[in-house]
Amino acid sequence: MLNRIVRYLACPHCGASLALGDRALSCPAGHSFDIAKQGYVNLLPGATKLRADTKEMVEARDAFLSAGHYGPVMDALVDLARRTADPAVPGCIVDIGGGTGHYHAKVVDAFPDVDGLLLDISKYAVRRAAKAHPRIAAAVTDAWQTLPLQDASAAVVINTFAPRNGPELHRILHHRGVLLVVTPLPDHLQELIGTLGLLQVDEGKESRLAEQLAPHFSAVATERLTRTMALDHQALAHLVGMGPNAWHRDAQRDHEMIQRLPVPSQVTLSVRLSAYRLSA
């Protein structure tokens, strides 16, 4: 896929265009980036302060998403994309912080003539994302640094449960493109917050999202999605292990606490989906 997506890429060091050579991408200035045997490329320009998901976290996410527990979110995201994105807009479908590529693959499927590029800080995630769909390429990068993309190269940008760098999202999005954002609401996973001590969604998260995007974007559609998931013990373990909670957990203690929960456990899925266009 890199041969089809390389025209949208930019060198993370100097911003020049990249060309595909023998197992590497390179720019005219001589910066070179090896292509891993799994098919992804590392375009991280240097040190990062972001904490990358571990192999175990990525495996848990892959298992949970593959089981379809967040299927309603994926379906709603595809529906929002179909309603707001114009297939005639030039550029690719970029997923920022796209993880294993489950959401991205669903959206790319809805636009059969458009290629996708998934960016994530975790090499374990992009290894899986590189195989998530025949039209998706994957690269390691830092969402808070300059993104390795040409100006206005994205027809659609997807951002699901991931960092949002407003100025960079504005730079890479085509002037007729659309930004699709999925964020958790305060009642998301509410049954597990007290029981398992999960991190709670901050009540101010919505206002922070508005502040991050307001100088650059205007909302054109927003909707709330709420469902009840019936999760067995294995699914609960994957859910706890796949997100930021996993960095602060004791695996044995989690196992013991999860075993005490009923089967199935009823857990709230609650997110907001929003579509944005560039501000005038």
Side-chain angles (χ1 to χ4, degrees), residues 17 40 42 48 54 69-70 91 96-97 103 115 119 144 147 154 163 181 188 211 237 239 251 269 272:
S17 60
Y40 72 92
N42 190 331
T48 176
T54 65
H69 301 299
Y70 277 8
I96 308 294
Y103 298 94
D115 296 322
L119 304 174
W144 290 117
L147 297 173
V181 178
H188 185 56
E211 291 173 2
L239 179 59
L269 165 63
R272 187 178 303 282

Side-chain angles (χ1 to χ4, degrees), residues 87-100:
V89 174
C92 57
I93 299 174
V94 180
D95 194 343
I96 308 294
T100 54

Side-chain angles (χ1 to χ4, degrees), residues 46 49 55 62 85 89-90 93 98 102 142 157 177 188 194 196 204 214 231 248 255 260 275:
K49 294 182 180 179
K55 180 181 179 181
D62 183 62
V89 174
I93 299 174
H102 284 77
D142 182 344
V157 174
H188 185 56
L196 298 180
L231 304 180
H248 312 283
H255 175 77
R260 300 189 192 110

Side-chain angles (χ1 to χ4, degrees), residues 2-3 27 97 110 113 130-131 199 216 242 254 262 278-279:
L2 285 171
N3 62 327
C27 74
D113 297 323
K131 301 176 182 178
L199 298 172
H216 314 284
M242 75 182 197
D254 282 344
L278 298 182
S279 298

Side-chain angles (χ1 to χ4, degrees), residues 102-211:
H102 284 77
Y103 298 94
H104 200 184
K106 293 288 187 180
V107 176
V108 168
D109 255 346
F111 297 87
D113 297 323
V114 186
D115 296 322
L117 172 66
L118 182 142
L119 304 174
D120 199 278
I121 190 64
S122 170
K123 65 180 181 181
Y124 301 107
V126 297
R127 283 177 182 175
R128 292 177 182 266
K131 301 176 182 178
H133 194 281
R135 286 186 285 113
I136 290 179
V140 177
T141 195
D142 182 344
W144 290 117
Q145 298 185 34
T146 301
L147 297 173
L149 281 156
Q150 302 285 343
D151 294 354
S153 58
V156 178
V157 174
I158 307 168
N159 183 269
T160 57
F161 308 104
R164 291 167 294 276
N165 184 339
E168 277 299 286
L169 297 179
H170 180 276
R171 182 185 66 79
I172 68 169
L173 187 64
H174 189 277
H175 68 275
R176 291 188 288 116
V178 63
L179 166 65
L180 306 176
V181 178
V182 180
T183 52
L185 291 169
D187 56 340
H188 185 56
L189 310 183
Q190 61 182 352
E191 296 83 359
L192 304 179
I193 292 171
T195 305
L196 298 180
L198 300 191
L199 298 172
Q200 186 167 16
V201 177
D202 188 347
E203 293 282 352
K205 193 176 186 69
E206 287 291 300
S207 61
R208 288 200 302 275
L209 171 61
E211 291 173 2

Side-chain angles (χ1 to χ4, degrees), residues 40-58:
Y40 72 92
V41 61
N42 190 331
L43 295 178
L44 191 64
T48 176
K49 294 182 180 179
L50 282 183
R51 198 171 187 178
D53 287 351
T54 65
K55 180 181 179 181
E56 292 74 21
M57 292 171 68
V58 170

